[in-house]
Amino acid sequence: MKRANDTLYDVLDRYTGDYTTYEKVTTDTDGTGMTDAKCDGVLYKKLITNGVTEYFRAAGIPVLDVMQFGATGSPSGDDSEAFAKVIEWVGRHKNTIEGLSTDAITLSIRCNSPTGVFRIAQPQKMMAQAVAIGGGRRIGLRYFSDNRTAIKFDAPESAPANTDEDVILMYNGNQFQYVRFERLKFIGTNAKHVLLYSSANGGAQDYMFHDCDFFGTWKNQIKVRGSNGANNNSEWKFEACAFSLNCKTLWDIADSDQFLNFWASKCKFWLSDGEHIRCTKGGHFAFWGCDWSGLTPEKPVEANTSYLFNLLGNTRARGVCSFTIHHGRFEHKTIYSSLMYCEWNIGNVTFDNVDCGSQASLVTGINDTTQVYFNPGTTGGPIVSFNNCSLIGRHQYDRISGPNYSAAGSSIAYYKGCNFELTNNLDSRFVFGGSSTIGTQWIAVVEDSKSTTTKTSSGAYKIYTINANYNAIGMSGANIRPHIVCATGADKKLPFTNGVLGIDLPLGARIRNVVLYIEGNTVTDSYNYNLEDGAGNIILSLSGTDASVNNNNEATRFISVTTANRSFIIRDIANQVNAKIGACLITYI
């Protein structure tokens, strides 16, 4: 430590390793005189020179360290009170801290355990409901570690904080607006443990977890509650975090549609059991480049708990109902693991470049499970989009049963560029449910998705078309898009030697035009083809004596595709020796 006039500089803190400058003061920021009782060795220091006592205050905001407050890092000890003293210190010096800046201030708290762990055996010691800092929106907390120290929460079940019987590590009772966690590990040890309970009404908001790990057993990572209609956006940010844990619900959000903006980037959510989101109010979720692996839930214990994302409530405010995942990956490893259940009445739900297919061939029965379920009740649902995704299982859309939703298009789901794993057609992949006869059904528009070309047991090729407007036919006001399937062999040739080429069209489609054509071939022999439906009816024929000449036959047909006739066949009825270049074009809606 060195002194120049009324300034102490190069003051080394033995806990934090930081050098701090202190300025001489005679009064506190509240105008009262300085005393020994106000000297805590962190913000204020006392210096006695030749019998004269002088007081100095840190120039700026000091970095706190839990070791300063008595933490030991003993794996078998209890550092609860050391963490509690940090918060008490903040409350005691609140006015002084705020007086150092006109802006909101975030206090940094270093958590470097010499053993790599701090054990906390009592609830609400890192933040407490009973500790009133006052004011809110002015002071934030930043817990960080330089050596990836673990916070092991080991409080017993006998210490519940509310009627939900939560045992809470941190309770932000509308006190701290800016809360940060960096390079820390959190270990839960009980199914009633809640890592962070945020009770918000204008104060508790703007959280960030950066490069943090979460292990063990928890009830919730975050639980967000507060007054309905409170002016309180949440802003929860998760960057490069890893979750490898058991939990009931990772993010539990209720009470207010003002609880908005939950963002995650480059995180892995390896939840062996439980849900990721249960949201009865609030919303606006966005994920970028995240992975959900190791999803191995057992039988669901209550309604919808097998769904990873539960977006509940169908009377939501505008500007709230948004859910997006970009470049995500899922591993559903049991038949009880499903993707989403949604009751939203408005908004958008988007999956973009999402891969759910890795377990499709490994989990028996997974394709017979309902993976996506939209059930908006009496109101219109959100717009749903799956873009460039690999999908498994059934997608169910229940009727919008309200009397004000009688026209088609009140709710619509788009699938573009998707691959439906282990399925040849989508007839069993889409379920349109609901018992009410009032209102309207959803429409599912499938475009540019992968058609699977396979061989039948006889060795003939069969084309499965999955571009369609599912459930749109016959709906008042439905905006229907036509589709054209080009049916030809893998070598762009029609069948020969009494061969056939099969074409499966979507159930419920309506054929409106068919074309059979021969393109100028090098051979000059005759040909004769029929296009037949699955019931054996001839839809169109094409014949000729010279295959080197272009030829076609076109007809307008209005044919409803049913289970009985859906498998159409191009048949060579002339037992031709030479295959002919040609195709069948079928236009349907």
Side-chain angles (χ1 to χ4, degrees):
M1 179 180 69
K2 301 176 183 177
R3 178 170 183 171
N5 299 321
D6 291 337
T7 300
L8 300 179
Y9 63 96
D10 286 352
V11 181
L12 176 64
D13 190 302
R14 68 186 181 93
Y15 293 103
T16 68
D18 297 327
Y19 288 94
T20 308
T21 297
Y22 288 79
E23 300 289 345
K24 183 178 178 180
V25 294
T26 57
T27 60
D28 199 349
T29 53
D30 60 3
T32 61
M34 285 298 303
T35 64
D36 286 359
K38 294 181 180 180
C39 287
D40 56 0
V42 179
L43 184 64
Y44 290 104
K45 288 187 179 294
K46 180 177 72 172
L47 185 65
I48 301 176
T49 306
N50 298 325
V52 178
T53 300
E54 298 175 292
Y55 300 100
F56 297 81
R57 184 174 65 217
I61 309 301
V63 175
L64 308 181
D65 193 298
V66 292
M67 301 292 287
Q68 289 174 300
F69 296 85
T72 65
S74 170
S76 60
D78 184 1
D79 287 319
S80 301
E81 294 306 322
F83 281 87
K85 288 177 182 178
V86 174
I87 300 300
E88 291 172 1
W89 184 95
V90 174
R92 188 166 61 251
H93 293 289
K94 173 181 179 292
N95 293 331
T96 299
I97 296 168
E98 287 190 342
L100 298 178
S101 174
T102 57
D103 299 320
I105 295 171
T106 298
L107 286 169
S108 292
I109 304 165
R110 182 179 279 109
C111 303
N112 288 348
S113 168
T115 63
V117 63
F118 288 116
R119 180 175 177 265
I120 297 180
Q122 303 173 54
Q124 298 191 44
K125 292 302 181 178
M126 289 183 71
M127 275 184 252
Q129 181 180 9
V131 177
I133 303 302
R137 305 180 77 92
R138 286 281 295 153
I139 295 179
L141 300 176
R142 171 180 170 254
Y143 289 95
F144 73 100
S145 174
D146 299 313
N147 64 350
R148 304 192 70 82
T149 284
I151 306 295
K152 184 179 181 180
F153 187 39
D154 219 3
E157 286 189 19
S158 59
N162 50 31
T163 56
D164 291 339
E165 296 188 343
D166 298 328
V167 180
I168 300 168
L169 174 60
M170 292 176 280
Y171 191 115
N172 187 4
N174 208 47
Q175 302 293 321
F176 301 104
Q177 182 171 7
Y178 307 99
V179 181
R180 304 289 186 264
F181 303 92
E182 300 174 12
R183 298 183 301 280
L184 284 165
K185 299 177 183 178
F186 295 92
I187 303 171
T189 59
N190 192 283
K192 291 186 178 181
H193 283 175
V194 175
L195 188 140
L196 177 53
Y197 189 109
S198 178
S199 178
N201 186 11
Q205 63 187 88
D206 203 326
Y207 298 86
M208 184 174 74
F209 291 83
H210 175 74
D211 196 15
C212 291
D213 301 324
F214 305 85
F215 302 102
T217 299
W218 298 88
K219 182 180 181 180
N220 311 120
Q221 186 221 2
I222 64 172
K223 192 166 187 174
V224 185
R225 296 293 188 269
S227 301
N228 187 20
N231 182 20
N232 198 112
N233 293 351
S234 286
E235 289 98 34
W236 293 80
K237 299 174 283 290
F238 303 85
E239 297 178 348
C241 292
F243 299 79
S244 300
L245 47 80
N246 295 305
C247 71
K248 180 181 179 182
T249 303
L250 196 66
W251 301 350
D252 185 343
I253 305 147
D255 291 347
S256 175
D257 269 340
Q258 282 288 322
F259 296 150
L260 301 172
N261 303 328
F262 299 82
W263 306 309
S265 173
K266 299 184 289 297
C267 294
K268 72 173 187 178
F269 299 97
W270 289 19
L271 313 178
S272 57
D273 202 359
E275 318 165 309
H276 187 149
I277 294 173
R278 176 164 288 263
C279 168
T280 58
K281 287 287 186 178
H284 217 286
F285 302 95
F287 300 87
W288 295 271
C290 295
D291 181 88
W292 291 261
S293 291
L295 304 175
T296 56
E298 299 300 327
K299 272 192 173 183
V301 295
E302 59 185 76
N304 304 323
T305 55
S306 63
Y307 291 93
L308 200 58
F309 307 112
N310 291 272
L311 310 178
L312 308 178
N314 63 357
T315 56
R316 295 303 207 91
R318 297 190 180 277
V320 174
C321 298
S322 176
F323 182 99
T324 304
I325 296 179
H326 293 284
H327 302 284
R329 184 177 180 276
F330 295 83
E331 288 188 4
H332 300 280
K333 292 190 173 182
T334 75
I335 60 172
Y336 304 111
S337 178
S338 295
L339 187 62
M340 173 175 284
Y341 175 85
C342 179
E343 297 176 346
W344 282 355
N345 57 309
I346 51 177
N348 295 81
V349 175
T350 301
F351 292 86
D352 178 54
N353 282 282
V354 169
D355 188 343
C356 299
S358 71
Q359 304 300 300
S361 62
L362 302 177
V363 180
T364 302
I366 192 74
N367 249 358
D368 297 321
T369 64
T370 299
Q371 287 291 314
V372 172
Y373 188 0
F374 283 83
N375 180 24
T378 60
T379 58
I383 292 178
V384 181
S385 299
F386 288 86
N387 303 313
N388 302 318
C389 295
S390 179
L391 303 172
I392 58 174
R394 294 190 297 263
H395 288 205
Q396 180 165 339
Y397 296 90
D398 277 6
R399 178 187 292 272
I400 298 96
S401 56
N404 295 325
Y405 294 90
S406 59
S410 297
S411 293
I412 191 165
Y414 292 99
Y415 295 78
K416 188 173 180 65
C418 291
N419 178 37
F420 294 85
E421 295 288 347
L422 298 184
T423 186
N424 292 328
N425 60 65
L426 302 188
D427 301 336
S428 61
R429 299 280 73 87
F430 288 117
V431 177
F432 299 95
S435 59
S436 175
T437 58
I438 304 173
T440 185
Q441 292 274 21
W442 289 66
I443 297 174
V445 178
V446 182
E447 291 190 330
D448 302 327
S449 293
K450 183 179 179 181
S451 296
T452 305
T453 302
T454 62
K455 285 187 176 182
T456 65
S457 58
S458 64
Y461 279 100
K462 192 169 190 178
I463 296 170
Y464 299 93
T465 61
I466 59 174
N467 284 6
N469 308 292
Y470 281 90
N471 218 35
I473 301 299
M475 285 206 179
S476 174
N479 187 7
I480 303 173
R481 304 176 184 181
H483 298 279
I484 300 176
V485 58
C486 177
T488 185
D491 53 1
K492 300 182 181 179
K493 293 180 179 180
L494 292 169
F496 62 105
T497 60
N498 289 334
V500 296
L501 174 63
I503 312 147
D504 264 21
L505 293 176
L507 284 182
R510 300 294 192 272
I511 295 174
R512 71 178 196 179
N513 182 268
V514 292
V515 178
L516 265 173
Y517 73 88
I518 286 285
E519 211 170 286
N521 286 264
T522 58
V523 296
T524 58
D525 52 359
S526 61
Y527 52 89
N528 195 351
Y529 298 100
N530 282 345
L531 174 65
E532 303 171 6
D533 68 10
N537 300 308
I538 298 175
I539 307 302
L540 191 66
S541 297
L542 180 65
S543 61
T545 58
D546 185 355
S548 66
V549 178
N550 292 347
N551 191 15
N552 69 83
N553 191 9
E554 180 175 4
T556 300
R557 295 283 189 269
F558 293 96
I559 302 171
S560 296
V561 178
T562 65
T563 303
N565 69 0
R566 56 107 34 94
S567 295
F568 291 77
I569 294 173
I570 305 172
R571 185 187 301 277
D572 167 31
I573 61 175
N575 193 20
Q576 304 166 70
V577 175
N578 298 308
K580 311 298 189 297
I581 296 176
C584 177
L585 302 179
I586 301 176
T587 302
Y588 63 95
I589 56 176

